[in-house]
Amino acid sequence: MSAGLLFSSALTAAADDPGGGATQCAPDKICSDVHTGGSTPAPGSTGSGGGGSSDGPLVCSYHGVEWACHDPELGWFNSDQGCYYKVLDPQLPEGAPEWADHKPSEGALYSKVCPQTGGGADGAQIVFESNAPAGPPVLDLRAIGISLAHEMTFPKPAAGVAPKGTAVVKSPVWLWLDGVKAPEPKTLSVPGASVTVTPVLKNVTWTFDQGMEVTCDTAGTPYDPKYGGAKSPDCGYEFAVGSGTKPNGVFDGTVTAHWQGHVVVTGPNAKVFDVDLPQSSAFELKVAEMQVLN
């Protein structure tokens, strides 16, 4: 800490509230503490217009049972019928019974397989269809990226503060997020395109009172006694006034971790964008005045 925290016979720490004084550690050390709690803003949700699951292929459903929308062997799933359709390749010769008196100019022959809810599948049928009965669903990949981002579960920011208990005016205070860990990335893929969302911590804002705020580019460095009275290398603050005039003699602090979902869409309409996903928690901090006693 600064020289003002080196206790001597002529200098004593006195809190600016009636009930206590600065937490006394070793003269050249900073005490540390971790505060948890607070609330997480309710995330907004954007529908994708179709079923889907992260970290895998697009999922369709039939009578409450989920099936992959596309199977490389069976083709595309028709959610109205619960069957897969795949264009027969090569097509049977014109006049074959499967054409049912239709001509190739009128449509095509498809392999039709209808999975059963018990896990099996009907035998493949060859059927004529004038229009493709199943195919790639029309997807808003940007909306899917936003939806995947909001599905992520972020940890509540736990405020790590040193000194522990009571800070002192014009002396360094260390700030950090304790145990911060980003959720795993999410990916949804369809033939020819994919959406990947990677969580990124943009910065962290610490607010103590009106006009008392600091934004750090990192989660901060946890304090260790070996650092002595040094300032935090990446996230710290020095108070100009104490908290004695505040209710309960403390500053009601808020720490906000500004997470973002970094969305990368590949395919014909490739794009990259970010989704803001801030998370906040509350904590309290007492800040004492330093006074020289005659």
Side-chain angles (χ1 to χ4, degrees):
M1 231 175 249
S2 62
L5 272 187
L6 298 179
F7 296 100
S8 68
S9 59
L11 184 62
T12 303
D16 53 7
D17 66 290
T23 301
Q24 296 190 16
C25 304
D28 60 345
K29 304 294 182 183
I30 296 176
C31 305
S32 63
D33 194 14
V34 172
H35 304 267
T36 60
S39 60
T40 301
S45 175
T46 303
S48 64
S53 64
S54 59
D55 304 313
L58 195 68
V59 173
C60 295
S61 65
Y62 180 69
H63 289 182
V65 179
E66 292 187 343
W67 302 93
C69 288
H70 181 265
D71 184 284
E73 299 295 329
L74 303 179
W76 289 98
F77 191 78
N78 182 307
S79 293
D80 293 329
Q81 302 177 28
C83 300
Y84 284 98
Y85 288 85
K86 186 175 184 179
V87 177
L88 203 63
D89 185 20
Q91 294 279 291
L92 297 178
E94 183 177 355
E98 289 80 3
W99 283 102
D101 297 328
H102 292 285
K103 297 180 179 180
S105 60
E106 299 173 341
L109 296 178
Y110 291 80
S111 169
K112 176 183 177 181
V113 176
C114 300
Q116 303 300 302
T117 56
D122 288 342
Q125 300 173 285
I126 297 177
V127 297
F128 170 82
E129 297 287 344
S130 58
N131 296 303
V138 178
L139 299 176
D140 183 345
L141 296 182
R142 185 180 189 281
I144 289 177
I146 294 173
S147 180
L148 288 179
H150 283 300
E151 288 176 9
M152 289 182 168
T153 301
F154 291 90
K156 292 181 180 179
V161 181
K164 176 182 178 180
T166 303
V168 179
V169 169
K170 297 182 180 180
S171 295
V173 175
W174 287 53
L175 305 168
W176 71 92
L177 295 184
D178 188 70
V180 63
K181 182 179 180 181
E184 294 296 321
K186 286 180 175 286
T187 297
L188 187 146
S189 59
V190 295
S194 69
V195 182
T196 299
V197 183
T198 303
V200 177
L201 183 62
K202 181 181 179 182
N203 53 46
V204 182
T205 298
W206 300 78
T207 303
F208 306 99
D209 198 7
Q210 185 176 5
M212 300 171 62
E213 179 180 289
V214 61
T215 296
C216 302
D217 293 332
T218 71
T221 301
Y223 179 76
D224 186 281
K226 68 182 180 182
Y227 299 134
K231 294 182 178 181
S232 170
D234 54 358
C235 190
Y237 193 74
E238 290 189 10
F239 290 89
V241 297
S243 60
T245 61
K246 296 297 176 180
N248 300 321
V250 297
F251 289 125
D252 292 323
T254 300
V255 55
T256 302
H258 296 282
W259 290 99
Q260 288 183 330
H262 183 65
V263 183
V264 178
V265 177
T266 65
N269 297 311
K271 55 178 64 71
V272 177
F273 61 94
D274 296 316
V275 180
D276 290 331
L277 301 162
Q279 311 291 315
S280 297
S281 289
F283 66 97
E284 295 181 343
L285 182 64
K286 181 183 295 185
V287 180
E289 297 280 0
M290 295 293 297
Q291 299 177 352
V292 175
L293 302 181
N294 294 326

